[in-house]
Amino acid sequence: MRALLVVNPAATTTSARTRDVLIHALASEMKLEAVTTEYRGHGRDLARRAAESDDIDLVVALGGDGTVNEVVNGLLHDGPDPERLPRLAVVPGGSTNVFARALGLPNDPVEATGAILASLADRSERTIGLGLASGTPGTPDEGTEPRWFTFCAGVGFDASVIGRVEQQRERGKRSTHALYLRQVVRQFLGDPHRIHGQITLERPGHEPITDLVLSIVANTSPWTFLGNRPVYASPKASFDTGLDVLGLSRLSTPAVARYATQLLTSTPERGPQGKHAITLHDLTDFTLNSKVPLPFQMDGDHLGLRTSVTFTGVRRALRVIV
């Protein structure tokens, strides 16, 4: 087996020594080329070249969810083709590793590498669905390049929080759950749209859902983790179905307290519910429009401001080692 290992040297939970151990473990079982990323988007470029080659069977992403997202977008640059494209394996190296954990992999990179090698020996894999976000035709965002996401996307409040976290990380702060919680509070106190939402969800054959403050698009469940605690925004979301949406139309102080409590106590059977919450399951095509440009995130990366994003749920898009 020929494999490409894409290594993010800035992965927050793996040291250089640990990465060397993982590389040697993988190289002992396959013909491995390991490449360290040098710039944002490098993982995408490397995976695209692997997808265009005829002799790469597997691409392994060693890093966090951002690294995985880049690799997936490189593999699917010309669209899904599970039978032809290299398979994907993930060694978690980020602070949260939602995608890897949603696949059932251990959160420890050494244990995950062992699990991947065992799965390769057993030929254990699955073909999963992914989400695709594109600029909506006829809007200022129509020229935005389509981009795949593995576990979530969002427009509005949650994307604003991620943008704040990224700003803090650029100033040298470590990515911790405490950092995220502080930015949630600051965004809540400073968000001008948290009472009167600006987002409208439109889907074929249905009336628009208007005045949303927050819109979380989920491709799997859990939505995220707080330490070892899974958080379920859309408990029914699955790699085997289309996309799910959680929308909130009000973020007053009582509403935030209620929905935050529901998220923290969520289970695989029960997520946020209430008068100001909408939940939609297994969607294939829909659009989020905003009256004003709002922050947009995919797989935990802030991608700037958008006024309209069209989402497509694509079943059986990519083979992954599990």
Side-chain angles (χ1 to χ4, degrees), residues 223-236:
W223 166 55
T224 191
F225 292 82
L226 288 176
N228 292 322
R229 177 190 291 273
V231 179
Y232 299 90
S234 298
K236 293 182 180 180

Side-chain angles (χ1 to χ4, degrees), residues 189-318:
L189 294 175
D191 194 325
H193 307 300
R194 64 182 176 86
I195 302 299
H196 303 290
Q198 305 294 307
I199 303 167
T200 297
L201 187 152
E202 299 180 357
R203 51 184 173 139
H206 295 80
E207 289 295 317
I209 300 172
T210 62
D211 302 327
L212 297 176
V213 176
L214 175 150
S215 53
I216 295 172
V217 182
N219 185 50
T220 188
S221 189
W223 166 55
T224 191
F225 292 82
L226 288 176
N228 292 322
R229 177 190 291 273
V231 179
Y232 299 90
S234 298
K236 293 182 180 180
S238 166
F239 288 128
D240 298 320
T241 63
L243 302 173
D244 284 27
V245 178
L246 169 66
L248 299 180
S249 60
R250 190 175 180 86
L251 284 180
S252 62
T253 301
V256 166
R258 179 168 59 254
Y259 293 123
T261 300
Q262 290 182 352
L263 281 171
L264 291 174
T265 59
S266 58
T267 69
E269 291 76 35
R270 185 178 180 85
Q273 301 178 35
K275 181 172 64 174
H276 302 297
I278 64 104
T279 56
L280 302 172
H281 175 58
D282 195 13
L283 304 186
T284 301
D285 298 286
F286 62 96
T287 297
L288 294 175
N289 295 308
S290 176
K291 299 173 186 175
V292 298
L294 291 176
F296 174 52
Q297 67 89 9
M298 293 177 63
D299 286 346
D301 276 349
H302 186 270
L303 299 180
L305 303 178
R306 299 286 191 275
T307 55
S308 185
V309 184
T310 294
F311 292 90
T312 306
V314 181
R315 287 178 170 81
R316 298 187 59 78
L318 186 66

Side-chain angles (χ1 to χ4, degrees), residues 97-112:
N97 308 306
V98 177
F99 179 65
R101 295 164 83 175
L103 288 174
L105 289 168
N107 197 38
D108 178 82
V110 176
E111 293 181 10

Side-chain angles (χ1 to χ4, degrees), residues 1-5 19-34 58 60 113 117 120:
M1 177 185 293
R2 291 181 60 90
L4 170 68
L5 174 64
R19 291 192 288 272
D20 286 342
V21 170
L22 300 180
I23 290 170
H24 285 299
L26 292 167
S28 68
E29 300 294 332
M30 62 191 73
K31 190 172 183 180
L32 184 73
E33 177 188 5
L58 175 70
V60 184
T113 300
L117 292 174
L120 287 169

Side-chain angles (χ1 to χ4, degrees), residues 28-245:
S28 68
E29 300 294 332
M30 62 191 73
K31 190 172 183 180
L32 184 73
E33 177 188 5
V35 182
T36 298
T37 57
E38 299 176 355
Y39 54 86
R40 187 164 188 170
H42 195 187
R44 177 197 59 212
D45 297 340
L46 293 169
R48 179 179 177 182
R49 288 199 288 271
E52 293 171 346
S53 73
D54 295 324
D55 59 352
I56 300 295
D57 305 300
L58 175 70
V59 176
V60 184
L62 198 172
D65 289 311
T67 302
V68 175
N69 182 276
E70 287 193 7
V71 168
V72 167
N73 276 277
L75 287 172
L76 273 63
H77 178 80
D78 293 323
D81 190 349
E83 300 308 314
R84 180 188 67 82
L85 290 173
R87 292 166 292 170
L88 172 70
V90 178
V91 178
S95 58
T96 309
N97 308 306
V98 177
F99 179 65
R101 295 164 83 175
L103 288 174
L105 289 168
N107 197 38
D108 178 82
V110 176
E111 293 181 10
T113 300
I116 289 168
L117 292 174
S119 295
L120 287 169
D122 295 338
R123 298 186 178 183
S124 176
E125 61 181 58
R126 65 182 290 195
T127 303
I128 64 168
L130 296 171
L132 181 66
S134 311
T136 307
T139 72
D141 296 311
E142 65 178 340
T144 304
E145 182 180 4
R147 183 162 171 171
W148 297 90
F149 60 97
T150 63
F151 66 91
C152 83
V155 178
F157 186 89
D158 72 309
S160 299
V161 172
I162 288 172
R164 285 177 174 270
V165 170
E166 290 190 2
Q167 289 177 350
Q168 294 298 312
R169 292 187 66 182
E170 289 171 359
R171 296 170 185 167
K173 298 291 181 64
R174 291 183 64 249
S175 179
T176 63
H177 298 302
L179 176 62
Y180 273 90
L181 292 174
R182 286 197 300 271
Q183 302 315 310
V184 167
V185 173
R186 290 174 181 173
Q187 181 62 34
F188 171 74
L189 294 175
D191 194 325
H193 307 300
R194 64 182 176 86
I195 302 299
H196 303 290
Q198 305 294 307
I199 303 167
T200 297
L201 187 152
E202 299 180 357
R203 51 184 173 139
H206 295 80
E207 289 295 317
I209 300 172
T210 62
D211 302 327
L212 297 176
V213 176
L214 175 150
S215 53
I216 295 172
V217 182
N219 185 50
T220 188
S221 189
W223 166 55
T224 191
F225 292 82
L226 288 176
N228 292 322
R229 177 190 291 273
V231 179
Y232 299 90
S234 298
K236 293 182 180 180
S238 166
F239 288 128
D240 298 320
T241 63
L243 302 173
D244 284 27
V245 178

